[in-house]
Amino acid sequence: MSTMFLLLLLSTANVSAEKGLPRREPRRLSCVRCCGPSEQPISIISSRYTRMSSDPAYSVPKVQPTIDITILKGEKGEMGEKGYPGAVGKEGERGLRGFNGRKGQKGQPGPQGHSCKQLYAAFSVGRRKPLHSSDYFQHVTFDTEFVNLYKHFNMFSGKFFCYVAGIYYFSLNVHTWNFKETYLHLMKNEKEVAILYAQPSDRSIMQSQSLMLDLQEGEEVWVRMFKRERENAIYSEESDVYIIFNGHLIKPAVE
């Protein structure tokens, strides 16, 4: 009975096919565009991985490894060579004034000063005896002392010795001799710095010269006669003083 029923079904199916009934095609999956015209299509596997990674349920946990530095740390190396100095930076703004420091201890006393080194110097000396020049150069000495502060003028040598550096004023006054030439040099150390001169004349006159000098400690100032072809002489008397040499300090170098 069942066999006959199956045969009947098969015959019915054949008859339907012969009569031109529409044949049912198997269902196909349609493609859906998931990208723009200029983009490349993404594979199904890649899109599925993207959906799974964006979903918190399928997200892959981030693994942050922990490294034990004490295990990897090596021994301390040697000190390297000193590098070149860097460029000088811009000068910064001036800072605020700091607090006053503590008062220091009292210093030790300084060395004792020179008893003769005073910030004053002055002399005025004269000569009572006349003098004729017998040599080419002849040193003029003095025999009368008017003022000699701190004995800076040496009466034996006829020279002023500078103990206090500074600006000095000097003047020389002489009396000429009749019919004789008068020629003298005002000397600084071994160099002439000024000349006092008078030509021979039938009458005698007073002649003078003055100047200022910048002296250093240890320098000397003195007077000498200079003989040329003519006879050179200066006049004076025992009763009167006609030859006078003066000098004094105007301004010391260190006040």
Side-chain angles (χ1 to χ4, degrees), residues 231-244:
E231 187 179 3
N232 187 11
I234 50 179
Y235 178 81
S236 189
E237 294 180 356
E238 290 289 342
S239 58
D240 296 316
V241 180
Y242 290 93
I243 305 169
I244 297 176

Side-chain angles (χ1 to χ4, degrees), residues 156-199:
F156 179 77
S157 65
K159 294 183 178 181
F160 169 75
F161 186 87
C162 178
Y163 286 94
V164 182
I167 306 299
Y168 285 80
Y169 174 82
F170 296 95
S171 65
L172 176 63
N173 300 276
V174 300
H175 193 284
T176 63
W177 204 310
N178 295 358
F179 305 105
K180 296 181 180 180
E181 188 177 46
T182 302
Y183 203 133
L184 295 97
H185 287 153
L186 193 60
M187 305 292 295
K188 176 183 177 182
N189 299 326
E190 298 299 324
K191 181 179 180 181
E192 62 271 11
V193 291
I195 296 174
L196 188 152
Y197 178 77
Q199 292 182 347

Side-chain angles (χ1 to χ4, degrees), residues 87-205:
V88 179
K90 296 182 179 180
E91 184 178 358
E93 297 181 357
R94 185 175 181 179
L96 300 176
R97 184 176 181 179
F99 298 101
N100 294 331
R102 296 181 180 180
K103 185 177 180 179
Q105 298 180 356
K106 185 177 181 179
Q108 298 179 356
Q112 184 177 0
H114 198 285
S115 59
C116 295
K117 192 170 184 179
Q118 305 291 335
L119 297 181
Y120 304 98
F123 72 91
S124 179
V125 294
R127 181 181 176 92
R128 295 181 181 272
K129 296 179 181 180
L131 183 63
H132 287 78
S133 179
S134 58
D135 298 327
Y136 188 67
F137 292 119
Q138 184 171 347
H139 191 175
V140 178
T141 58
F142 300 87
D143 51 26
T144 303
E145 183 180 79
F146 298 109
V147 175
N148 193 2
L149 191 62
Y150 306 117
K151 303 298 179 181
H152 290 182
F153 189 90
N154 190 327
M155 296 296 294
F156 179 77
S157 65
K159 294 183 178 181
F160 169 75
F161 186 87
C162 178
Y163 286 94
V164 182
I167 306 299
Y168 285 80
Y169 174 82
F170 296 95
S171 65
L172 176 63
N173 300 276
V174 300
H175 193 284
T176 63
W177 204 310
N178 295 358
F179 305 105
K180 296 181 180 180
E181 188 177 46
T182 302
Y183 203 133
L184 295 97
H185 287 153
L186 193 60
M187 305 292 295
K188 176 183 177 182
N189 299 326
E190 298 299 324
K191 181 179 180 181
E192 62 271 11
V193 291
I195 296 174
L196 188 152
Y197 178 77
Q199 292 182 347
S201 177
D202 56 353
R203 61 175 183 171
S204 61
I205 59 173

